[in-house]
Amino acid sequence: MGDFITVRGFVATDITTSTTPGGVATASFRIGSTGRRYDRSSGAWVDGHTNWFRVQGYRQLAGNLGCSIRKGQPVIVVGRLRMRSWEKDGRIYHSAEIDAESVGHDLTLGSANFIRTVKNSPQTAPDDALPAEDGPEAAGSIFGDRDFAEEDAAPEDVMVEDVNGDYVSVDTETGELAGSAA
């Protein structure tokens, strides 16, 4: 039996990306989930208590989070719930964290455009990329320092802007990013 949870809410912070010492990509953000109920006495919907969760994604999901999710967007998160406690200055603190298995936009509040990446394959930087330094910027673009000039693309190519502002070609038949490992 697992402690899986599904949470629907709004992204409350910018996505923070990094790489573990073992080379695993990570991304995290906070989500606020506020319940609503109809108050018959006032004839209006009222907000309830807001629950806060830290969402953590790894590997392929981390790269996709960094390119897809932005602060303020409505999302649905599915993952394993972990409760943490710690003591500081004689006071006990608690936090709820979700090790995300899936994250997606809540389409009841808007629309999104899905672009498929190669499933379950490691995303690696090209051979000519410089090694990344430690810290939040280390995960950066999965494409390293590669420059995707417009003259490299055929007129029928579809180009997508990644999180760093670099343009990447997309295979229009499969929806996969060009240069991704098969």
Side-chain angles (χ1 to χ4, degrees):
M1 181 171 175
D3 297 330
F4 280 88
I5 185 172
T6 301
V7 177
R8 180 181 172 204
F10 287 87
V11 177
T13 61
D14 290 325
I15 307 298
T16 302
T17 60
S18 65
T19 304
T20 66
V24 176
T26 68
S28 66
F29 62 94
R30 286 182 46 90
I31 182 176
S33 178
T34 304
R36 293 183 53 110
R37 65 177 181 81
Y38 187 75
D39 183 4
R40 292 181 191 216
S41 62
S42 67
W45 287 92
V46 294
D47 288 341
H49 177 76
T50 300
N51 291 311
W52 296 97
F53 301 91
R54 180 176 176 263
V55 178
Q56 183 78 39
Y58 300 93
R59 298 174 185 78
Q60 181 78 33
L61 178 59
N64 293 341
L65 286 172
C67 293
S68 304
I69 304 296
R70 298 286 177 263
K71 183 177 177 179
Q73 293 180 336
V75 293
I76 299 173
V77 177
V78 177
R80 186 174 302 275
L81 177 65
R82 287 189 302 141
M83 301 300 294
R84 283 190 341 126
S85 299
W86 68 95
E87 183 178 344
K88 182 178 178 183
D89 299 328
R91 189 168 175 196
I92 297 176
Y93 295 89
H94 303 280
S95 70
E97 298 180 357
I98 300 173
D99 283 337
E101 183 178 291
S102 299
V103 177
H105 289 100
D106 185 350
L107 299 181
T108 61
L109 300 172
S111 64
N113 186 20
F114 179 77
I115 299 172
R116 184 181 184 99
T117 57
V118 176
K119 185 177 180 181
N120 296 330
S121 65
Q123 294 181 342
T124 58
D127 293 335
D128 60 345
L130 298 174
E133 296 177 6
D134 289 287
E137 273 63 44
S141 172
I142 59 173
F143 305 105
D145 293 333
R146 184 172 175 190
D147 183 22
F148 290 95
E150 290 189 29
E151 59 267 15
D152 292 343
E156 65 274 6
D157 283 352
V158 174
M159 301 298 284
V160 177
E161 186 174 356
D162 71 1
V163 71
N164 294 326
D166 298 324
Y167 288 95
V168 182
S169 180
V170 177
D171 184 340
T172 56
E173 291 183 14
T174 64
E176 297 174 350
L177 296 176
S180 296

